Amino acid sequence: YEKNADSLKSKLGGAIRDKRGLLVSAHITRKDDFDFGYYLPATPDLPDLISYFKAPKGYRYSERELNEVRIHELTGHDQTFSWIMIENVWVGSFTPFLIEDVIRTYNGKRSFANAHSEMSRLPRISGDAGNIYLNLKSFSDWFSVFLPTRDKSYAVGKSSLLDIKSSGDNLVFNGFSTDSAAYKDYLLAMFRNQSPVSFGLKNHIP
């Protein structure tokens, strides 16, 4: 995922580096592209981002409002970086309509957490490198950015919660996935009515 790295992205990296509670969400933005939203709790060690971001060379600072939420924007070098503060959360993105969608979600649109509430009951490891939360249907759609064709009817399940473990130069994802009785075409739904049996071949599988 290659985008031009300039002074603005360097400043963004400095602002969020090593901050606890960082959340990053990935979203399809066009048929052949995607971008990220960044979320941080507004802790005392978070820089004053309004003054922090106003200065990058070649960028113009502006403000606008949506649903009574002030949106700060820096525009230049063929890109726009937007950020907002909602309660005690700072949210930023290089795609302005992702910020607008955060505001709409906050003001009543059904959120990811509500749509996938079963993930809050899944076990997770504490002290690891982080967690990945997947809406599996959207994840399948996200893969279409990289693949020329795909089977639109294919779906693995409803959602996944994966722990992240680093091992050398690799990342290992381990966790749980859920299906839904409302979507019987999910691949995981095949196991819903099955009874577990003993497995005698595990010693032969690396």
Side-chain angles (χ1 to χ4, degrees):
Y1 184 65
E2 296 181 355
K3 299 281 187 180
N4 293 330
D6 58 11
S7 59
L8 175 59
K9 293 197 174 180
S10 297
K11 289 176 77 69
L12 175 62
I16 68 177
R17 187 174 295 116
D18 301 325
K19 297 293 187 296
R20 295 184 61 84
L22 172 65
L23 176 71
V24 180
S25 60
H27 308 266
I28 298 173
T29 55
R30 293 198 303 267
K31 181 179 179 181
D32 59 350
D33 203 3
F34 67 98
D35 209 347
F36 303 100
Y38 306 93
Y39 311 79
L40 274 173
T43 54
D45 62 337
L46 188 68
D48 177 6
L49 293 172
I50 295 178
S51 58
Y52 185 81
F53 281 126
K54 275 186 178 180
K57 187 177 180 180
Y59 284 87
R60 178 177 55 84
Y61 174 79
S62 61
E63 296 180 2
R64 58 190 178 93
E65 282 195 5
L66 176 64
N67 294 345
E68 300 182 349
V69 176
R70 180 171 297 180
I71 302 174
H72 307 272
E73 291 187 324
L74 286 170
T75 304
H77 302 289
D78 298 322
Q79 65 181 354
T80 298
F81 180 72
S82 307
W83 74 94
I84 57 175
M85 288 287 297
I86 294 184
E87 291 189 359
N88 292 319
V89 179
W90 173 85
V91 187
S93 179
F94 283 93
T95 300
F97 69 76
L98 294 183
I99 292 293
E100 295 169 6
D101 203 38
V102 170
I103 295 172
R104 294 186 188 99
T105 298
Y106 175 76
N107 283 307
K109 181 181 173 183
R110 194 178 189 206
S111 69
F112 179 89
N114 291 334
H116 302 274
S117 58
E118 67 277 0
M119 285 200 298
S120 64
R121 299 187 294 271
L122 294 176
R124 67 202 70 192
I125 299 173
S126 59
D128 60 355
N131 300 308
I132 293 183
Y133 301 84
L134 294 177
N135 175 336
L136 288 172
K137 170 147 189 335
S138 295
F139 189 59
S140 177
D141 293 340
W142 182 73
F143 263 111
S144 68
V145 172
F146 310 99
L147 303 175
T149 60
R150 68 184 182 94
D151 181 359
K152 294 182 180 295
S153 65
Y154 177 78
V156 175
K158 185 180 180 185
S159 56
S160 289
L161 169 59
L162 306 174
D163 294 299
I164 306 172
K165 180 182 179 182
S166 59
S167 176
D169 293 334
N170 300 313
L171 292 176
V172 178
F173 306 108
N174 182 42
F176 295 89
S177 298
T178 66
D179 64 352
S180 171
Y183 298 95
K184 294 183 179 179
D185 57 338
Y186 283 161
L187 180 63
L188 290 176
M190 291 190 304
F191 302 102
R192 177 173 292 277
N193 297 317
Q194 294 189 20
S195 300
V197 298
S198 60
F199 179 52
L201 296 176
K202 57 182 178 292
N203 293 333
H204 300 276
I205 300 176

